Structure formats: structure tokens, C-alpha cells
């Protein structure tokens, strides 16, 4: 990324403005998270960015702009609850409906609980084709394609 006045566009914002820089999520078992997300993230268009003992991070492949995902060991032993205040779900935009099928299939193979199989969601602005599942920690994950391909 570029920083400083030279990277500002004519409207005064950095060229990368408007992109959420990163999300940090606490997990109860970082080793389980590594094994799970190391399998899933490449299918979603992400690669490992950091692989330290106390964190794991993923970034969009090939230097594409996008949000980085960081995983940290939780210091609070309470389980995550999808209905509690906080994170509701993570949605990853993928390039095709076939990718939705592929990622969903791999998530289920990894032991994820399915919420919604791959399907159109006509209640959202079309085209909206997605699948939803829960990761090993109860987080809801979505793969969504906004194309008819």
C-alpha cells in the first residue's frame, strides 16, 4: 500500500480508501483455525499473509485490494454466539456460482454445519447466489456470487 500525500486522489482520499483494511477475529483454538482456514481461504481467493505462533492472517491473492482476515487466540474462554452482539457473519465474494459450490463442498468436508446450500436468494438484489455454513467456532461464513455465471 502507498501512504502519504502522493497517494491521495483528487477528492483527498487515498486510492485505497473505501476498502475495509482488515478484520480480526478471536478463536478458541488457533491450531484448529489454521487447519480449517488454510484449506478454505485459497478457494475464496486468499493467501496466507502472516503465519506466527500467536496469529494467522490471510490477504487477497495477487495483490488485489480487499480486506485482510486476522485470526487470534481468544483470551476469554466463552464460546461465540451468532445471536449475541458482535459479528453476525463473514461474506466472501467469489467469481462464479461454481466457486460457491466448490467452497461450500469443501467447508462441509471439513466438518462445517450447513445453514443454506448453494442457491439463489431472490430476497436480495439479483443476481445473488450464495451458500452459508458455520466454521468450527460457530461463525457464519458465506460464499456469494453476484453474477449469473
Amino acid at each position: 500500500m502507498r501512504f502519504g500525500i502522493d497517494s491521495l486522489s483528487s477528492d483527498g482520499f487515498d486510492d485505497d480508501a473505501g476498502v475495509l483494511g482488515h478484520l480480526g477475529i478471536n478463536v478458541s483454538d488457533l491450531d484448529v483455525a489454521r487447519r480449517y482456514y488454510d484449506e478454505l481461504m485459497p478457494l475464496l481467493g486468499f493467501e496466507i499473509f502472516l503465519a506466527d505462533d500467536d496469529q494467522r492472517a490471510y490477504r487477497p491473492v495477487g495483490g488485489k485490494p480487499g480486506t485482510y482476515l486476522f485470526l487470534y487466540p481468544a483470551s476469554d474462554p466463552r464460546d461465540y454466539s451468532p445471536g449475541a452482539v458482535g459479528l453476525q457473519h463473514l461474506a466472501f465474494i467469489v467469481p462464479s456460482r461454481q466457486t460457491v459450490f466448490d467452497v461450500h463442498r469443501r467447508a462441509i468436508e471439513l466438518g462445517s454445519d450447513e445453514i443454506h446450500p448453494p442457491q439463489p436468494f431472490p430476497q436480495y438484489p439479483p443476481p445473488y447466489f450464495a451458500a452459508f455454513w458455520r466454521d468450527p467456532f460457530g461463525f457464519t461464513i458465506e460464499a456469494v456470487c453476484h453474477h449469473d455465471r
Side-chain angles (χ1 to χ4, degrees):
M1 286 193 170
R2 302 166 313 276
F3 297 101
I5 195 74
D6 293 339
S7 67
L8 297 181
S9 62
S10 61
D11 60 6
F13 287 96
D14 185 283
D15 290 337
D16 295 325
V19 175
L20 184 63
H22 65 272
L23 292 171
I25 299 175
N26 292 337
V27 295
S28 58
D29 188 325
L30 190 55
D31 288 331
V32 169
R34 284 183 188 118
R35 288 191 301 274
Y36 182 83
Y37 282 99
D38 283 359
E39 289 281 330
L40 210 59
M41 294 303 278
L43 299 173
L44 293 165
F46 285 74
E47 63 189 6
I48 294 173
F49 173 60
L50 290 174
D52 297 334
D53 291 340
D54 61 347
Q55 65 182 333
R56 180 66 121 226
Y58 305 89
R59 66 180 174 196
V61 297
K64 292 180 184 175
T67 305
Y68 289 40
L69 178 64
F70 283 75
L71 303 172
Y72 304 104
S75 59
D76 184 329
R78 290 178 288 178
D79 286 338
Y80 169 77
S81 172
V85 172
L87 178 70
Q88 204 273 339
H89 77 283
L90 295 175
F92 293 90
I93 297 172
V94 297
S96 69
R97 290 177 176 213
Q98 185 60 52
T99 305
V100 172
F101 280 106
D102 294 344
V103 174
H104 171 263
R105 182 180 57 252
R106 187 66 185 128
I108 300 307
E109 290 171 356
L110 290 169
S112 296
D113 293 329
E114 181 179 75
I115 300 170
H116 298 291
Q119 61 186 286
F121 284 83
Q123 65 268 40
Y124 302 128
Y128 202 105
F129 188 86
F132 295 79
W133 63 90
R134 294 208 196 282
D135 79 355
F137 309 101
F139 297 123
T140 300
I141 308 296
E142 173 187 1
V144 59
C145 176
H146 295 293
H147 303 285
D148 286 325
R149 56 179 187 241

